[in-house]
């Protein structure tokens, strides 16, 4: 993480595939992220290889919620399998998605 952004970015490190069993926990975690006082939000998915359709809805809702609050939520650390899912559902039209978490921070650093 870029130290100059440490106090400006709120990051959620989600470490499990999202399935029916944990989608509500995922929803609560994203709700907490979007409720942060910070305006730059990062969802880190480095260890995630699967998201079900409900998880995609949760992410879309979180992006819209963040936008309504004048915040920006981006995704960093995307495995190829999850990247393919995002490509199929055209998530890049909704939000910024970065293969590596450092790219998400570089994006926010460029906005300063």
């Amino acid at each position: 993480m870029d130290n100059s952004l440490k106090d400006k970015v709120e990051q959620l490190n989600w470490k499990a595939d999202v399935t029916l069993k944990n989608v509500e926990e995922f929803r609560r975690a994203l709700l907490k992220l979007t409720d942060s006082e910070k305006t730059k939000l990062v969802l880190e998915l480095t260890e995630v290889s699967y998201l079900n359709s409900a998880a995609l809805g949760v992410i879309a809702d979180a992006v819209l919620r963040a936008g309504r609050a004048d915040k920006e939520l981006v995704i960093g650390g995307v495995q190829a399998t999850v990247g393919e899912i995002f490509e199929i559902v055209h998530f890049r039209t909704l939000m910024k998605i970065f293969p590596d978490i450092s790219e998400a921070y570089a994006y926010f650093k460029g906005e300063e």
Side-chain angles (χ1 to χ4, degrees):
M1 176 191 322
D2 184 320
N3 285 334
S4 67
L5 290 174
K6 192 166 141 180
D7 295 330
K8 298 177 184 174
V9 176
E10 186 75 30
Q11 180 175 329
L12 169 61
N13 301 318
W14 189 262
K15 299 185 181 296
D17 292 349
V18 183
T19 65
L20 197 55
K21 292 180 180 180
N22 65 352
V23 72
E24 281 307 312
E25 181 184 349
F26 183 62
R27 181 186 318 276
R28 286 190 299 273
L30 274 175
L31 185 61
K32 184 177 177 184
L33 177 66
T34 58
D35 282 347
S36 167
E37 291 184 13
K38 297 177 184 174
T39 60
K40 297 170 177 15
L41 311 173
V42 177
L43 172 58
E44 194 247 332
L45 298 175
T46 304
E47 297 181 39
V48 177
S49 60
Y50 175 78
L51 298 168
N52 69 5
S53 59
L56 297 175
V58 168
I59 293 170
D61 286 345
V63 169
L64 295 173
R65 178 182 166 86
R68 286 191 299 267
D70 291 323
K71 301 176 184 182
E72 185 172 10
L73 172 62
V74 302
I75 295 180
V78 177
Q79 289 189 25
T81 53
V82 173
E84 288 175 22
I85 293 169
F86 288 154
E87 202 64 37
I88 290 168
V89 297
H90 303 285
F91 256 39
R92 289 191 191 281
T93 60
L94 179 66
M95 65 188 310
K96 303 277 187 216
I97 301 169
F98 303 97
D100 189 87
I101 193 70
S102 64
E103 294 175 71
Y105 280 88
Y107 166 74
F108 281 137
K109 185 157 182 74
E111 286 193 335
E112 291 188 321

